[in-house]
Amino acid sequence: MSEVAQRTVGSGIVKLIGNTPLLRVRLFEHEHPNVEVYAKAEWFNPGGSVKDRAALSMIEDGERSGVLRRGRTIIDSTSGNTGIAYAMVGAAKGYRVKLVMPGNVSAERKALVTAYGAEIIYSDALEGSDGAIRLVRDLVAADPDLYFYPDQYSNPANARAHYEGTAVEIMAQAPGRITHFVAGLGTTGTFTGTARRLKEHDPAIRAIAVQPEESFHGLEGLKHLPTSIVPRIWDPGLADEIWGSPTEPAYDLAREAARTEGLLVGHSSGAALWAVQRLLQTLRQGLIVTVFPDSGDRYLSTGLYGGGHLPRHG
Ligand SMILES: Cc1ncc(COP(=O)(O)O)c(C=O)c1O
């Protein structure tokens, strides 16, 4: 069957998760002609981000194990994209969804999850994503039978989505031998799942993880591990390097990608580009694959692309 037919005939929305394009990034090509850079365009997922993969994987894992039953409400803490993904998959599969979010997440994110019918519970903005984690744990402990709590920071099905999906797609799509993999760290699912599979395939592949340079930052979706609750799924042994991206240079690179390549990407894609640029200083040739987790249109009110004010996350 042709790709068009496969994607349209009788498919529910969740069937469209994954199989995102691998785009050539030409931003650095002029100065580094012997290094090819590619990015997984994760905003092509139906919920608009890489987190569709993790949400679907954790929800279907819950269904298989029997922990997620009819009548239970899906609840989790989320800085945004996972919430949108839970809300979309929950709506498609007929589950109620409750999301605990820091009060300062972008207006677009709040509006989106509400549009999918999910309920938001706000945690203290000053406590960042850790405050949301603490609040959801309290809610679940108070009423354990009401909820299915996937706990994206501890759930192996999060990283498995990337081990079985993202990485396998990258290996099939890359037009040559991959030398480096670069990805940002939030729950760490994308990095750990993908890097684990890529290194099994070719142990010579170097994996570079990117976190915000400081605890107080503007890179929505990413976590500064030294000052955060460390996700249980994090496997530091997979990272050959862990680099800290500054906020403004990451924003500048996101803006440059939009203006010079038509790639309207979000904050954390800018951080990935910052790490790719740093890596290029040390490379003569190679093939780098990175992940662009979401699109810039999700941040238009935040000032990433002008107007609005820039948020800070801790
Ligand atoms: C925009 C964005 N970038 C990057 C990430 C990090 O992905 P992961 O949680 O798989 O580490 C997230 C996670 O929520 C995100 O929303």
Side-chain angles (χ1 to χ4, degrees):
M1 214 193 292
S2 76
E3 192 181 335
V4 172
Q6 274 180 22
R7 287 176 75 90
T8 52
V9 178
S11 293
I13 192 79
V14 300
K15 291 275 187 291
L16 299 182
I17 294 172
N19 285 315
T20 54
L22 187 70
L23 300 178
R24 179 85 186 256
V25 178
R26 300 190 180 274
L27 213 54
F28 312 110
E29 203 173 58
H30 187 63
E31 282 181 44
H32 304 275
N34 297 323
V35 185
E36 291 174 54
V37 179
Y38 293 88
K40 263 310 231 182
E42 289 297 303
W43 67 90
F44 276 77
N45 284 301
S49 86
V50 69
K51 302 305 301 201
D52 284 8
R53 297 175 183 270
L56 180 64
S57 172
M58 292 185 287
I59 287 171
E60 294 198 332
D61 186 68
E63 288 177 327
R64 268 192 303 273
S65 67
V67 184
L68 176 54
R69 299 192 286 273
R70 289 281 141 222
R72 282 209 164 163
T73 296
I74 299 167
I75 190 168
D76 212 338
S77 65
T78 161
S79 65
N81 277 331
T82 312
I84 295 163
Y86 284 140
M88 179 191 69
V89 177
K93 285 178 171 276
Y95 297 107
R96 285 186 63 197
V97 176
K98 274 191 199 177
L99 304 165
V100 182
M101 299 188 174
N104 61 342
V105 299
S106 68
E108 289 97 326
R109 295 199 177 205
K110 295 174 190 168
L112 266 169
V113 297
T114 312
Y116 283 117
E119 186 189 328
I120 305 178
I121 300 162
Y122 292 109
S123 58
D124 189 336
L126 293 176
E127 292 183 28
S129 53
D130 284 356
I133 294 173
R134 284 189 284 268
L135 181 55
V136 78
R137 286 180 183 168
D138 290 348
L139 291 168
V140 173
D143 214 340
D145 287 338
L146 184 64
Y147 295 118
F148 169 62
Y149 173 34
D151 186 2
Q152 57 165 337
Y153 293 94
S154 309
N155 192 330
N158 171 358
R160 206 185 310 131
H162 302 285
Y163 181 88
E164 291 173 356
T166 317
V168 175
E169 293 166 29
I170 288 171
M171 292 185 302
Q173 290 169 310
R177 183 153 180 235
I178 301 164
T179 58
H180 296 80
F181 174 66
V182 174
L185 299 176
T187 64
T188 76
T190 306
F191 179 84
T192 53
T194 311
R196 184 172 292 135
R197 186 62 168 264
L198 291 179
K199 280 172 174 274
E200 280 172 14
H201 168 70
D202 179 355
I205 294 175
R206 313 266 306 161
I208 292 125
V210 191
Q211 63 180 346
E213 187 178 40
E214 295 168 2
S215 62
F216 200 54
H217 62 89
L219 300 171
E220 189 164 326
L222 299 188
K223 235 170 157 18
H224 182 251
L225 291 185
T227 55
S228 304
I229 299 175
V230 176
R232 216 179 300 153
I233 58 172
W234 171 230
D235 181 352
L238 291 167
D240 295 292
E241 307 277 352
I242 305 174
W243 291 342
S245 170
T247 295
E248 293 302 334
Y251 283 18
D252 287 343
L253 283 165
R255 292 173 185 135
E256 209 178 321
R259 288 186 190 140
T260 65
E261 297 202 54
L263 298 175
L264 188 74
V265 293
H267 303 178
S268 64
S269 306
L273 283 169
W274 175 87
V276 167
Q277 191 175 45
R278 174 169 167 180
L279 175 60
L280 284 167
Q281 310 313 313
T282 64
L283 280 188
R284 280 168 174 268
Q285 54 185 30
L287 193 159
I288 304 171
V289 174
T290 188
V291 177
F292 286 166
D294 66 0
S295 159
D297 62 9
R298 205 147 263 188
Y299 305 95
L300 292 179
S301 73
T302 71
L304 176 60
Y305 289 103
H309 69 283
L310 296 173
R312 282 292 183 275
H313 306 269

